[in-house]
Coordinates of all heavy atoms in Angstrom, one line a residue:
M8 N 199.7 111.5 136.6 CA 199.2 112.0 135.3 C 198.1 113.1 135.5 O 197.3 113.0 136.3 CB 198.5 110.8 134.5 CG 198.2 111.1 133.1 SD 197.8 109.6 132.3 CE 196.5 110.2 131.2
M9 N 198.3 114.2 134.7 CA 197.3 115.3 134.8 C 196.1 115.0 134.0 O 196.2 114.7 132.8 CB 198.0 116.6 134.3 CG 199.0 117.1 135.2 SD 198.4 117.9 136.7 CE 197.6 119.3 136.1
T10 N 194.9 115.2 134.6 CA 193.7 115.2 133.8 C 193.3 116.5 133.4 O 193.5 117.5 134.2 CB 192.6 114.4 134.6 OG1 192.4 115.2 135.9 CG2 192.8 113.0 134.9
K11 N 192.7 116.7 132.3 CA 192.3 117.9 131.8 C 191.1 118.5 132.5 O 190.2 117.7 132.7 CB 192.0 117.8 130.2 CG 192.1 119.1 129.6 CD 192.0 118.9 128.0 CE 191.6 120.3 127.4 NZ 190.9 120.1 126.2
K12 N 191.2 119.7 132.9 CA 190.1 120.3 133.7 C 188.9 120.6 132.7 O 189.0 121.0 131.6 CB 190.5 121.6 134.2 CG 189.6 122.2 135.4 CD 190.4 123.3 136.1 CE 189.3 124.2 136.8 NZ 188.5 125.1 135.9
I13 N 187.7 120.1 133.2 CA 186.5 120.3 132.4 C 185.9 121.6 132.6 O 185.6 122.1 133.8 CB 185.5 119.2 132.7 CG1 186.0 117.8 132.4 CG2 184.1 119.4 132.0 CD1 185.2 116.7 133.0
P14 N 185.7 122.5 131.6 CA 185.2 123.8 131.8 C 183.7 123.7 132.3 O 182.8 123.0 131.7 CB 185.2 124.5 130.4 CG 185.7 123.5 129.5 CD 186.0 122.2 130.2
M15 N 183.4 124.4 133.3 CA 182.0 124.4 134.0 C 181.4 125.8 133.8 O 182.1 126.7 133.8 CB 182.2 124.0 135.4 CG 182.8 122.6 135.7 SD 181.8 121.3 135.2 CE 180.6 121.2 136.5
R16 N 180.1 125.8 133.6 CA 179.4 127.0 133.5 C 178.1 126.9 134.3 O 177.6 125.8 134.5 CB 179.0 127.4 132.0 CG 180.2 127.6 131.1 CD 181.0 128.9 131.5 NE 182.1 129.2 130.6 CZ 183.3 128.7 130.8 NH1 183.6 128.0 131.9 NH2 184.3 129.1 130.0
K17 N 177.5 128.0 134.7 CA 176.3 128.0 135.4 C 175.1 128.4 134.5 O 175.2 129.3 133.8 CB 176.3 129.0 136.6 CG 175.2 128.9 137.5 CD 175.3 130.1 138.5 CE 175.0 129.5 139.9 NZ 175.2 130.6 140.9
C18 N 174.1 127.5 134.5 CA 172.9 127.7 133.8 C 172.1 128.9 134.4 O 171.9 128.9 135.6 CB 171.9 126.5 133.7 SG 170.3 126.8 133.1
V19 N 171.7 129.9 133.6 CA 171.0 131.1 134.2 C 169.5 130.8 134.5 O 168.8 131.6 135.0 CB 171.1 132.4 133.3 CG1 172.5 132.9 133.2 CG2 170.6 132.1 131.9
G20 N 169.1 129.5 134.0 CA 167.7 129.1 134.4 C 167.7 128.4 135.7 O 167.1 128.9 136.6
C21 N 168.3 127.2 135.8 CA 168.2 126.3 136.9 C 169.3 126.7 138.0 O 169.3 126.2 139.1 CB 168.2 124.9 136.6 SG 169.7 124.4 135.8
M22 N 170.2 127.5 137.6 CA 171.4 127.9 138.4 C 172.3 126.7 138.9 O 172.9 126.9 139.9 CB 170.9 128.6 139.7 CG 170.1 129.9 139.5 SD 171.2 131.1 138.7 CE 170.1 132.4 138.2
E23 N 172.3 125.7 138.1 CA 173.2 124.6 138.4 C 174.5 124.7 137.6 O 174.5 125.1 136.4 CB 172.5 123.3 138.0 CG 171.5 122.8 139.1 CD 170.8 121.6 138.6 OE1 171.4 120.7 137.9 OE2 169.6 121.5 138.8
M24 N 175.6 124.3 138.2 CA 176.9 124.2 137.5 C 176.9 123.0 136.6 O 176.6 121.8 137.1 CB 178.0 124.2 138.4 CG 178.2 125.5 139.2 SD 178.6 126.9 138.2 CE 180.4 126.5 137.8
K25 N 177.1 123.1 135.3 CA 177.2 121.9 134.4 C 178.4 122.1 133.5 O 179.0 123.2 133.4 CB 175.9 121.9 133.6 CG 174.7 121.7 134.5 CD 173.5 121.2 133.7 CE 172.3 121.0 134.7 NZ 171.2 120.6 134.1
E26 N 178.7 121.0 132.8 CA 179.8 121.1 131.9 C 179.4 122.0 130.7 O 178.3 122.0 130.2 CB 180.1 119.7 131.3 CG 180.8 118.8 132.3 CD 181.2 117.4 131.7 OE1 181.4 117.3 130.5 OE2 181.1 116.5 132.5
K27 N 180.4 122.8 130.3 CA 180.1 123.8 129.2 C 179.5 123.1 128.0 O 178.6 123.7 127.4 CB 181.4 124.5 128.9 CG 181.3 125.6 127.9 CD 182.7 126.3 127.7 CE 182.6 127.2 126.6 NZ 184.0 127.8 126.3
K28 N 180.0 121.9 127.6 CA 179.5 121.3 126.4 C 178.0 120.8 126.5 O 177.4 120.6 125.4 CB 180.4 120.1 126.0 CG 180.4 118.9 127.0 CD 181.2 117.8 126.4 CE 181.4 116.6 127.5 NZ 180.2 116.1 128.0
D29 N 177.5 120.7 127.7 CA 176.1 120.3 127.9 C 175.1 121.5 127.8 O 173.9 121.4 127.9 CB 175.9 119.6 129.2 CG 176.7 118.3 129.3 OD1 177.0 117.8 128.2 OD2 177.0 117.8 130.4
L30 N 175.7 122.7 127.8 CA 174.9 124.0 127.8 C 174.9 124.6 126.5 O 175.8 124.4 125.6 CB 175.4 124.9 128.9 CG 175.5 124.4 130.3 CD1 176.1 125.3 131.2 CD2 174.0 124.2 130.8
V31 N 173.9 125.5 126.3 CA 173.8 126.3 125.0 C 174.2 127.8 125.4 O 173.8 128.2 126.5 CB 172.3 126.2 124.5 CG1 172.2 127.1 123.2 CG2 171.9 124.8 124.3
R32 N 174.9 128.4 124.5 CA 175.3 129.8 124.8 C 174.4 130.8 124.1 O 174.1 130.6 122.9 CB 176.8 130.0 124.3 CG 177.3 131.3 124.7 CD 178.9 131.2 124.5 NE 179.4 132.6 124.9 CZ 180.0 133.4 124.0 NH1 179.9 133.2 122.7 NH2 180.5 134.5 124.3
I33 N 174.0 131.8 124.9 CA 173.2 132.9 124.3 C 174.1 134.1 124.4 O 174.7 134.4 125.4 CB 171.9 133.1 125.1 CG1 171.0 131.8 125.0 CG2 171.1 134.3 124.6 CD1 169.8 131.8 125.9
V34 N 174.2 134.9 123.3 CA 175.2 136.0 123.2 C 174.5 137.3 123.0 O 173.5 137.4 122.3 CB 176.1 135.7 122.0 CG1 177.1 136.8 121.8 CG2 176.9 134.4 122.2
K35 N 175.1 138.3 123.6 CA 174.7 139.7 123.3 C 175.9 140.3 122.7 O 177.0 140.5 123.3 CB 174.4 140.4 124.6 CG 174.0 141.9 124.3 CD 173.7 142.6 125.6 CE 173.3 144.1 125.2 NZ 173.2 144.9 126.4
S36 N 175.8 140.5 121.4 CA 176.9 141.0 120.6 C 177.2 142.5 120.9 O 176.4 143.2 121.5 CB 176.6 140.9 119.1 OG 175.6 141.9 118.7
P37 N 178.4 143.0 120.5 CA 178.7 144.4 120.7 C 177.7 145.3 120.0 O 177.5 146.5 120.5 CB 180.1 144.6 120.0 CG 180.7 143.2 120.0 CD 179.5 142.2 119.9
E38 N 176.9 144.8 119.0 CA 175.9 145.6 118.4 C 174.6 145.5 119.1 O 173.5 145.8 118.5 CB 175.7 145.2 116.9 CG 177.0 145.4 116.0 CD 178.0 144.4 116.1 OE1 177.7 143.2 116.2 OE2 179.2 144.7 116.3
D39 N 174.6 144.9 120.3 CA 173.4 144.7 121.1 C 172.4 143.7 120.5 O 171.2 143.9 120.8 CB 172.7 146.1 121.4 CG 173.5 146.8 122.6 OD1 174.2 146.2 123.2 OD2 173.1 148.0 122.7
E40 N 172.8 142.9 119.7 CA 172.0 141.8 119.1 C 172.1 140.6 120.0 O 173.1 140.2 120.5 CB 172.6 141.4 117.8 CG 171.6 141.3 116.6 CD 172.4 140.8 115.4 OE1 173.5 141.3 115.1 OE2 171.9 140.0 114.7
I41 N 170.9 140.0 120.3 CA 170.9 138.8 121.2 C 170.5 137.6 120.4 O 169.4 137.6 119.7 CB 169.9 139.0 122.4 CG1 170.5 140.2 123.3 CG2 169.9 137.8 123.2 CD1 169.6 140.7 124.4
F42 N 171.3 136.5 120.5 CA 171.0 135.4 119.6 C 171.6 134.1 120.2 O 172.5 134.2 121.1 CB 171.5 135.6 118.2 CG 173.0 135.8 118.1 CD1 173.9 134.8 117.9 CD2 173.4 137.1 118.2 CE1 175.3 135.1 117.8 CE2 174.8 137.4 118.1 CZ 175.7 136.4 118.0
L43 N 171.2 132.9 119.8 CA 171.7 131.7 120.2 C 173.0 131.4 119.5 O 173.0 131.5 118.2 CB 170.6 130.5 119.9 CG 170.7 129.3 120.7 CD1 170.3 129.7 122.2 CD2 169.6 128.4 120.2
D44 N 174.1 131.1 120.2 CA 175.4 130.9 119.6 C 175.6 129.4 119.6 O 176.0 128.8 120.6 CB 176.5 131.6 120.4 CG 177.8 131.3 120.0 OD1 178.0 130.9 118.8 OD2 178.8 131.6 120.7
T45 N 175.4 128.8 118.4 CA 175.7 127.4 118.3 C 177.1 127.0 118.3 O 177.4 125.9 118.7 CB 174.9 126.8 117.0 OG1 175.3 127.7 115.9 CG2 173.5 126.9 117.1
T46 N 178.0 127.9 117.9 CA 179.4 127.6 117.8 C 180.1 127.7 119.2 O 181.1 127.1 119.4 CB 180.1 128.5 116.7 OG1 180.0 129.9 117.3 CG2 179.6 128.4 115.4
G47 N 179.5 128.6 120.0 CA 180.1 128.9 121.3 C 181.3 129.8 121.2 O 182.1 130.0 122.0
R48 N 181.5 130.4 120.0 CA 182.7 131.3 119.7 C 182.3 132.7 119.3 O 183.2 133.4 119.0 CB 183.5 130.7 118.6 CG 183.9 129.2 118.9 CD 185.5 129.1 118.6 NE 186.0 127.7 118.8 CZ 186.1 127.1 119.9 NH1 185.6 127.6 121.0 NH2 186.6 125.9 120.0
A49 N 181.0 133.0 119.3 CA 180.6 134.3 118.8 C 181.2 135.4 119.7 O 181.3 135.2 120.9 CB 179.1 134.4 118.6
N50 N 181.4 136.6 119.1 CA 181.9 137.8 119.9 C 180.7 138.2 120.8 O 179.6 138.4 120.4 CB 182.3 138.9 119.0 CG 183.8 138.8 118.8 OD1 184.6 138.1 119.5 ND2 184.3 139.7 117.8
G51 N 181.1 138.7 122.0 CA 180.1 139.3 122.8 C 180.0 138.6 124.2 O 180.7 137.7 124.5
R52 N 179.0 139.2 125.0 CA 178.8 138.7 126.3 C 177.9 137.4 126.2 O 176.9 137.5 125.6 CB 178.1 139.7 127.1 CG 177.7 139.3 128.5 CD 178.3 140.2 129.5 NE 178.0 139.9 130.9 CZ 178.7 139.1 131.7 NH1 179.9 138.7 131.2 NH2 178.3 138.8 132.8
G53 N 178.4 136.4 126.8 CA 177.7 135.1 126.8 C 177.0 134.7 128.1 O 177.5 135.1 129.1
A54 N 175.8 134.1 128.0 CA 175.1 133.5 129.1 C 174.8 132.0 128.8 O 174.6 131.8 127.6 CB 173.9 134.2 129.5
Y55 N 174.9 131.1 129.7 CA 174.7 129.8 129.4 C 173.4 129.3 129.9 O 173.0 129.7 131.0 CB 175.9 128.9 129.9 CG 177.2 129.1 129.2 CD1 178.0 130.2 129.5 CD2 177.5 128.3 128.1 CE1 179.2 130.4 128.8 CE2 178.7 128.6 127.4 CZ 179.5 129.6 127.7 OH 180.7 129.9 127.0
I56 N 172.8 128.3 129.2 CA 171.5 127.8 129.5 C 171.4 126.3 129.2 O 172.0 125.9 128.2 CB 170.4 128.6 128.9 CG1 169.0 128.3 129.6 CG2 170.3 128.5 127.4 CD1 168.1 129.5 129.4
C57 N 170.7 125.5 130.0 CA 170.5 124.1 129.6 C 169.8 124.0 128.3 O 169.0 124.9 127.9 CB 169.7 123.4 130.7 SG 170.5 123.3 132.3
N58 N 170.0 122.9 127.6 CA 169.5 122.8 126.3 C 168.0 122.3 126.4 O 167.7 121.3 125.8 CB 170.3 121.7 125.5 CG 170.0 121.9 124.0 OD1 169.2 122.6 123.5 ND2 170.8 121.1 123.2
N59 N 167.2 123.0 127.1 CA 165.7 122.7 127.1 C 164.9 124.0 127.4 O 165.4 124.9 127.9 CB 165.4 121.6 128.1 CG 165.6 122.0 129.6 OD1 165.2 123.1 130.0 ND2 166.5 121.2 130.3
A60 N 163.7 123.9 127.0 CA 162.8 125.1 127.0 C 162.4 125.4 128.5 O 162.2 126.5 128.8 CB 161.5 124.9 126.2
G61 N 162.4 124.4 129.4 CA 162.1 124.6 130.8 C 163.1 125.5 131.4 O 162.6 126.4 132.1
C62 N 164.3 125.4 131.2 CA 165.3 126.3 131.8 C 165.3 127.6 131.2 O 165.5 128.6 131.9 CB 166.8 125.7 131.7 SG 167.2 124.5 133.0
L63 N 164.9 127.8 129.9 CA 164.8 129.1 129.3 C 163.6 129.8 130.0 O 163.7 131.0 130.3 CB 164.5 129.0 127.8 CG 164.4 130.3 127.0 CD1 165.6 131.1 127.1 CD2 164.0 130.1 125.6
K64 N 162.5 129.1 130.2 CA 161.3 129.7 130.9 C 161.7 130.2 132.3 O 161.3 131.3 132.7 CB 160.2 128.7 131.0 CG 159.5 128.5 129.7 CD 158.2 127.7 129.8 CE 157.3 127.7 128.6 NZ 158.0 127.1 127.4
K65 N 162.5 129.3 133.0 CA 163.0 129.8 134.3 C 163.9 131.0 134.2 O 163.8 131.9 135.0 CB 163.8 128.6 135.0 CG 163.0 127.6 135.7 CD 163.9 126.6 136.4 CE 163.3 125.2 136.4 NZ 164.2 124.2 136.7
A66 N 164.8 131.0 133.2 CA 165.6 132.2 133.1 C 164.9 133.5 132.7 O 165.3 134.5 133.2 CB 166.7 131.9 131.9
I67 N 163.8 133.3 132.0 CA 163.0 134.5 131.7 C 162.3 134.9 133.0 O 162.3 136.2 133.3 CB 162.0 134.1 130.6 CG1 162.6 133.9 129.2 CG2 161.0 135.3 130.4 CD1 161.8 133.2 128.2
K68 N 161.7 134.0 133.7 CA 161.0 134.3 134.9 C 161.8 134.9 136.0 O 161.5 136.0 136.6 CB 160.3 133.0 135.5 CG 159.3 133.2 136.5 CD 158.6 131.9 136.8 CE 157.7 132.2 138.1 NZ 157.4 130.9 138.8
N69 N 163.0 134.4 136.2 CA 164.0 134.9 137.2 C 164.8 136.0 136.7 O 165.7 136.5 137.4 CB 164.7 133.8 137.9 CG 165.8 133.2 137.1 OD1 166.2 133.8 136.0 ND2 166.3 132.0 137.5
K70 N 164.6 136.4 135.5 CA 165.4 137.5 134.8 C 166.9 137.2 134.8 O 167.7 138.2 134.8 CB 165.1 138.9 135.5 CG 163.6 139.2 135.5 CD 163.4 140.7 135.3 CE 162.0 141.1 135.4 NZ 161.1 140.6 134.3
G71 N 167.2 135.9 134.7 CA 168.6 135.6 134.6 C 169.3 136.1 133.4 O 170.5 136.6 133.5
L72 N 168.7 136.0 132.3 CA 169.4 136.5 131.0 C 169.5 138.1 131.1 O 170.5 138.6 130.8 CB 168.5 136.2 129.8 CG 168.6 134.7 129.3 CD1 167.6 134.4 128.3 CD2 170.0 134.4 128.9
E73 N 168.4 138.7 131.6 CA 168.5 140.2 131.6 C 169.6 140.6 132.6 O 170.3 141.6 132.4 CB 167.1 140.7 132.1 CG 166.2 140.8 130.9 CD 164.7 140.9 131.4 OE1 164.4 140.9 132.6 OE2 163.9 141.0 130.5
R74 N 169.8 139.9 133.7 CA 170.9 140.2 134.6 C 172.2 140.0 134.0 O 173.2 140.8 134.1 CB 170.8 139.3 135.9 CG 170.3 140.0 137.1 CD 170.6 139.2 138.4 NE 170.5 137.8 138.3 CZ 169.3 137.1 138.4 NH1 168.2 137.8 138.6 NH2 169.3 135.8 138.3
S75 N 172.4 138.9 133.2 CA 173.6 138.5 132.6 C 174.0 139.6 131.6 O 175.2 140.0 131.5 CB 173.5 137.2 131.8 OG 173.4 136.2 132.7
F76 N 173.0 140.1 130.8 CA 173.3 141.1 129.8 C 173.1 142.5 130.2 O 173.3 143.4 129.4 CB 172.4 140.8 128.6 CG 172.6 139.5 128.0 CD1 171.6 138.7 127.5 CD2 173.9 139.0 127.8 CE1 171.8 137.4 127.0 CE2 174.2 137.7 127.2 CZ 173.1 136.9 126.8
K77 N 172.7 142.7 131.4 CA 172.4 144.0 132.0 C 171.5 144.9 131.1 O 171.8 146.1 130.9 CB 173.8 144.7 132.3 CG 174.7 144.0 133.3 CD 176.0 144.8 133.4 CE 176.8 144.1 134.5 NZ 177.4 142.8 134.1
S78 N 170.5 144.2 130.5 CA 169.5 145.0 129.8 C 168.3 144.2 129.5 O 168.2 143.0 129.7 CB 170.1 145.3 128.3 OG 170.3 144.1 127.6
Q79 N 167.2 144.9 129.1 CA 165.9 144.3 128.8 C 166.1 143.5 127.5 O 166.8 143.9 126.7 CB 164.9 145.4 128.6 CG 164.4 146.0 129.9 CD 163.6 145.1 130.8 OE1 162.7 144.4 130.3 NE2 163.9 145.1 132.1
I80 N 165.4 142.4 127.4 CA 165.4 141.6 126.2 C 164.1 141.6 125.6 O 163.0 141.2 126.2 CB 165.8 140.2 126.6 CG1 167.2 140.1 127.2 CG2 165.8 139.2 125.3 CD1 167.6 138.8 127.8
P81 N 164.0 142.0 124.3 CA 162.7 142.1 123.7 C 162.0 140.6 123.6 O 162.7 139.7 123.4 CB 163.0 142.6 122.2 CG 164.4 143.1 122.3 CD 165.1 142.4 123.5
A82 N 160.7 140.7 123.7 CA 159.9 139.4 123.7 C 160.1 138.6 122.4 O 160.3 137.4 122.5 CB 158.4 139.7 123.8
D83 N 160.2 139.3 121.3 CA 160.4 138.6 120.0 C 161.8 137.8 119.9 O 161.9 136.8 119.4 CB 160.3 139.5 118.8 CG 161.2 140.6 118.8 OD1 161.5 141.2 119.8 OD2 161.7 141.1 117.7
V84 N 162.8 138.4 120.6 CA 164.1 137.8 120.7 C 164.0 136.5 121.5 O 164.5 135.5 121.1 CB 165.2 138.8 121.2 CG1 166.5 138.1 121.5 CG2 165.4 139.9 120.3
L85 N 163.3 136.7 122.6 CA 163.1 135.4 123.5 C 162.4 134.3 122.7 O 162.7 133.2 122.9 CB 162.4 135.9 124.8 CG 163.2 136.7 125.8 CD1 162.3 137.2 126.9 CD2 164.4 135.9 126.3
Q86 N 161.4 134.7 122.0 CA 160.6 133.7 121.2 C 161.5 133.0 120.1 O 161.4 131.8 120.0 CB 159.4 134.4 120.5 CG 158.3 134.7 121.5 CD 157.2 135.6 120.9 OE1 157.4 136.2 119.9 NE2 156.1 135.7 121.6
N87 N 162.3 133.8 119.5 CA 163.2 133.2 118.5 C 164.2 132.2 119.2 O 164.4 131.1 118.7 CB 164.1 134.3 117.9 CG 163.3 135.1 116.9 OD1 162.2 134.7 116.4 ND2 163.9 136.2 116.4
I88 N 164.7 132.5 120.4 CA 165.6 131.7 121.1 C 164.8 130.4 121.5 O 165.3 129.3 121.4 CB 166.2 132.4 122.3 CG1 167.2 133.4 121.8 CG2 166.9 131.4 123.2 CD1 167.7 134.4 122.9
E89 N 163.6 130.6 122.0 CA 162.8 129.4 122.3 C 162.5 128.5 121.2 O 162.6 127.3 121.3 CB 161.4 130.0 123.0 CG 160.8 129.0 123.9 CD 159.7 129.7 124.7 OE1 159.6 130.9 124.7 OE2 158.9 128.9 125.3
K90 N 162.3 129.1 120.0 CA 162.0 128.3 118.8 C 163.2 127.5 118.5 O 163.2 126.3 118.2 CB 161.6 129.2 117.6 CG 160.2 129.4 117.4 CD 159.9 130.0 116.0 CE 158.7 130.8 116.1 NZ 158.9 132.3 116.2
E91 N 164.4 128.1 118.5 CA 165.7 127.4 118.2 C 166.0 126.3 119.2 O 166.6 125.4 118.8 CB 166.9 128.4 118.2 CG 166.8 129.3 116.9 CD 168.0 130.3 116.9 OE1 169.1 129.9 116.8 OE2 167.7 131.6 117.0
L92 N 165.6 126.5 120.4 CA 165.9 125.5 121.5 C 165.0 124.3 121.3 O 165.5 123.1 121.5 CB 165.7 126.1 122.9 CG 166.9 126.7 123.5 CD1 166.5 127.2 124.9 CD2 168.0 125.7 123.7
S93 N 163.8 124.4 120.9 CA 162.9 123.3 120.8 C 163.0 122.5 119.6 O 163.7 122.9 118.7 CB 161.4 123.7 121.0 OG 161.1 124.9 120.1

């Protein structure tokens, strides 16, 4: 019997591989808008992060999100994401 493969993603904060459903997706849309994607289906480049503020802080410190999106992320955008996570 075939078991269904569980989609895995890497958190850009702690760099651990986890199940996709345990992570939160942050998206950079084609219009260069960066936001928390609660549906997991928004258009654009996605980066995954654990559902806690600690991993977000690590991702900011190690520039994981900026690497994923290949661009600088404004401080106010990061604060909005942090608010939504907590």
Side-chain angles (χ1 to χ4, degrees):
M8 192 171 143
M9 289 287 292
T10 54
K11 201 169 160 208
K12 198 168 156 282
I13 298 166
M15 302 291 279
R16 298 290 182 270
K17 188 187 226 176
C18 169
V19 292
C21 63
M22 297 298 171
E23 280 176 39
M24 290 297 284
K25 300 197 175 174
E26 287 181 31
K27 188 176 166 184
K28 65 176 173 57
D29 296 337
L30 298 171
V31 180
R32 186 167 181 251
I33 298 172
V34 177
K35 181 181 180 188
S36 72
E38 295 80 43
D39 284 344
E40 228 183 318
I41 295 171
F42 57 93
L43 206 61
D44 176 19
T45 47
T46 63
R48 304 229 183 293
N50 262 350
R52 176 120 181 100
Y55 290 84
I56 194 157
C57 296
N58 198 353
N59 66 53
C62 273
L63 181 63
K64 283 188 174 62
K65 278 187 207 159
I67 293 166
K68 196 174 168 198
N69 70 18
K70 303 220 183 294
L72 284 172
E73 284 163 354
R74 252 197 325 274
S75 293
F76 299 137
K77 298 179 177 69
S78 68
Q79 287 288 315
I80 299 170
D83 59 322
V84 171
L85 290 171
Q86 284 168 346
N87 286 348
I88 291 169
E89 205 166 344
K90 268 193 208 101
E91 286 180 64
L92 269 180
S93 48

